[in-house]
Amino acid sequence: CARWREAKAVVAEADRLLGNEKRITRDTAALNFAIETLNGPLGYLFAKQELAKAYYFMGRNFYYLNDFATAADYYILCDRLNPKYPLYKGRINSCMGYLCKQDSCFEEALVFYERANIAFAKTDNQKRYANGLLNIAEQYVNLKEYNKADSILQIANNYDIDSTYHAMLIETRGLYFFALQQYDSALTYFLGIENFPRPLEARCYSYMKIIQIYARQDKYQM
């Protein structure tokens, strides 16, 4: 009983950190203890949701360690337990979508992102749902299904979350026009987000696209 209480306390603390402080426990040893304690017939019967969360948190830990294959294994273990909380089901599938996208597996990424948004739609977390729309639109662009991408972006236009979301929306529109080779329109969108506060990776990516557009324009002007 003491081990079970301790294992559940580990999961509850990770849950608290993720929900309230926008971070996650990096204590892999504690999560291993929780998984080993709860992973059994009794755990599946009486602590299935806690075990699912522990798998998700462990996946996040391995993601931060850049061990994406192991992270995916833990996300899959979590998903197989079919967590009853839509927010977690959405997070799992969103994480899997991101890993697939990084490996250029766009069809698989689309499936996971769509599953994520089905789950997010069942929550009151409008921001995650709106961000999910942008992820789905981006995969349609990658798959050259531009009409579907445009339809999703029109839905995404209806959300006014915050400046970060607005910048992501503008950037996704820029990617859409870049893929269509409508470079003047793409440039307008990419230049329109230069002053938004965004992570360094996002700023570098949009600037790279601007450089590519200028290079194309110089080529055609020669």
Side-chain angles (χ1 to χ4, degrees):
C1 290
R3 283 177 60 88
W4 269 56
R5 285 195 297 269
E6 188 176 347
K8 287 187 173 184
V10 168
V11 176
E13 175 63 9
D15 207 6
R16 183 189 69 81
L17 290 174
L18 183 66
N20 297 330
E21 301 177 25
K22 306 302 181 186
R23 60 191 180 92
I24 193 168
T25 180
R26 304 293 175 84
D27 194 341
T28 301
L31 286 172
N32 263 325
F33 165 78
I35 290 171
E36 290 173 0
T37 301
L38 301 176
N39 186 19
L42 289 177
Y44 276 70
L45 187 61
F46 296 109
K48 186 177 178 181
Q49 299 306 314
E50 287 85 353
L51 179 59
K53 288 182 179 181
Y55 282 139
Y56 168 71
F57 295 137
M58 188 66 86
R60 289 289 296 272
N61 276 7
F62 277 101
Y63 169 79
Y64 288 123
L65 293 171
N66 294 318
D67 187 346
F68 302 134
T70 304
D73 287 340
Y74 278 105
Y75 293 147
I76 292 168
L77 286 170
C78 178
D79 194 44
R80 284 176 178 168
L81 289 177
N82 193 27
K84 67 180 181 181
Y85 303 108
L87 184 59
Y88 275 89
K89 197 163 186 66
R91 283 170 172 165
I92 298 158
N93 283 282
S94 184
C95 288
M96 285 296 294
Y98 180 80
L99 292 178
C100 290
K101 181 182 73 170
Q102 295 301 102
D103 206 27
S104 298
C105 299
F106 303 126
E107 289 185 6
E108 292 83 353
L110 177 62
V111 171
F112 283 116
Y113 280 133
E114 287 180 333
R115 290 187 71 199
N117 257 30
I118 290 172
F120 289 143
K122 299 176 183 177
T123 74
D124 59 356
N125 197 318
Q126 196 176 68
K127 182 175 182 178
R128 284 192 177 274
Y129 181 79
N131 287 338
L133 290 173
L134 300 183
N135 288 327
I136 291 170
E138 183 183 350
Q139 303 325 303
Y140 277 131
V141 169
N142 290 331
L143 293 168
K144 298 180 171 56
E145 297 191 39
Y146 301 121
N147 289 336
K148 291 181 179 179
D150 183 55
S151 295
I152 295 295
L153 286 171
Q154 289 184 38
I155 298 172
N157 279 334
N158 295 325
Y159 292 87
D160 185 16
I161 306 298
D162 52 30
S163 60
T164 301
Y165 173 76
H166 189 60
M168 291 171 60
L169 177 61
I170 294 173
E171 182 182 66
T172 308
R173 268 294 179 191
L175 292 173
Y176 168 79
F177 283 113
F178 186 90
L180 288 173
Q181 299 183 9
Q182 297 180 17
Y183 298 121
D184 288 342
S185 296
L187 182 61
T188 299
Y189 279 100
F190 285 126
L191 291 176
I193 56 175
E194 281 195 315
N195 296 323
F196 280 88
R198 294 183 300 144
L200 178 60
E201 181 181 2
R203 294 175 67 86
C204 290
Y205 181 75
S206 60
Y207 186 56
M208 179 188 70
K209 290 298 182 185
I210 292 172
I211 292 173
Q212 290 174 345
I213 293 171
Y214 283 149
R216 283 173 168 81
Q217 290 176 334
D218 289 343
K219 178 181 177 180
Y220 292 125
Q221 289 172 3
M222 289 178 63

